[in-house]
Amino acid sequence: GAVVSQHPSWVICKSGTSVKIECRSLDFQATTMFWYRQFPKQSLMLMATSNEGSKATYEQGVEKDKFLINHASLTLSTLTVTSAHPEDSSFYICSARVEREASEADTQYFGPGTRLTVL
Amino acid sequence: AQSVAQPEDQVNVAEGNPLTVKCTYSVSGNPYLFWYVQYPNRGLQFLLKYITGDNLVKGSYGFEAEFNKSQTSFHLMKPSALVSDSALYFCAVSPDRGSTLGRLYFGRGTQLTVWP
């Protein structure tokens, strides 16, 4: 159990276009999902916390208007990179927090990641 | 401020030998502690966690970790390393027990290489 999927796994786009990345919890409901960005050989940088039915909470320095997050249901959160530029090229990873049982408390399960390349 | 330290960027070990990947943390209160593993171009896989109780936690793929409150450490261990264990390992801390926040603070990762 506790499987998280991401789609697409990789995407190449032209500068100025928008790209949407989906994150789904397949066998559990998640009121909270997280979006991370990872640069080569570095740790994960938390971009925002996605809350079902409410606005996302962005980390300091992350542009809300550029990285749009929508958590429309208990199993789906989307990240849209608007007007993408080459510096947005990165590996984006989502996670979903399991809240169903005390033994799972606060455990995050991660998607496989999306490699974004902006030309 | 919350912080997680993985003092070694690289750990190299021969197959069959024991391995240890170190992690120390600095957070307020009594946090939850986690280890994740990442293979190239993949997301993170959950290995194990400490919530409460026995300080020695057993996880996936034969890994275990020992929680040491006095030293604020949570080192990852395995008695006998496999070549397939070669990957990037992340220690993470959740300082907000059971809260609606639930965010994780990650160490910078340790690259484990197990040679045949």
Side-chain angles (χ1 to χ4, degrees), chain A residues 3-101:
Chain A
V3 179
V4 177
S5 70
Q6 256 182 267
H7 180 79
S9 55
W10 60 271
V11 57
I12 301 173
C13 69
K14 293 182 179 180
S15 185
T17 60
S18 294
V19 174
K20 180 186 283 188
I21 303 171
E22 293 185 348
C23 178
R24 294 182 185 272
S25 56
L26 298 185
D27 54 356
F28 65 100
Q29 293 183 332
T31 56
T32 308
M33 292 185 175
F34 302 85
W35 287 97
Y36 297 86
R37 186 172 177 177
Q38 186 180 31
F39 294 99
K41 298 186 178 180
Q42 292 191 27
S43 189
L44 282 71
M45 182 191 80
L46 179 65
M47 299 174 65
T49 302
S50 172
N51 303 296
E52 188 268 338
S54 65
K55 292 183 179 180
T57 304
Y58 289 82
E59 294 298 302
Q60 192 172 8
V62 177
E63 299 177 57
K64 301 178 182 181
D65 295 332
K66 181 165 188 61
F67 298 100
L68 301 179
I69 291 173
N70 183 19
H71 195 152
S73 77
L74 288 172
T75 59
L76 174 64
S77 175
T78 60
L79 168 68
T80 301
V81 183
T82 62
S83 187
H85 288 102
E87 56 265 31
D88 298 325
S89 298
S90 190
F91 194 53
Y92 292 87
I93 307 175
C94 73
S95 72
R97 189 173 74 143
V98 177
E99 301 159 11
R100 55 190 174 189
E101 299 172 1

Side-chain angles (χ1 to χ4, degrees), chain B residues 89-105:
Chain B
Y89 290 80
F90 289 101
C91 180
V93 171
S94 174
D96 306 302
R97 282 178 162 244
S99 79
T100 56
L101 296 175
R103 66 166 294 171
L104 291 177
Y105 292 84

Side-chain angles (χ1 to χ4, degrees), chain B residues 6-69:
Chain B
Q6 291 180 242
E8 301 156 318
D9 290 337
Q10 284 257 2
V11 169
N12 299 310
V13 64
E15 187 173 34
N17 283 0
L19 69 87
T20 299
V21 183
K22 296 179 180 177
C23 172
T24 59
Y25 61 92
S26 175
V27 299
S28 55
N30 298 308
Y32 295 146
L33 302 162
F34 302 84
W35 275 101
Y36 289 88
V37 60
Q38 184 180 33
Y39 294 96
N41 297 309
R42 301 293 300 275
L44 275 65
Q45 293 181 29
F46 170 74
L47 275 181
L48 51 80
K49 67 185 175 191
Y50 173 82
I51 298 178
T52 186
D54 194 347
N55 290 342
L56 186 63
V57 179
K58 294 188 183 298
S60 306
Y61 312 118
F63 284 93
E64 55 191 23
E66 185 168 22
F67 170 63
N68 188 317
K69 188 173 183 178

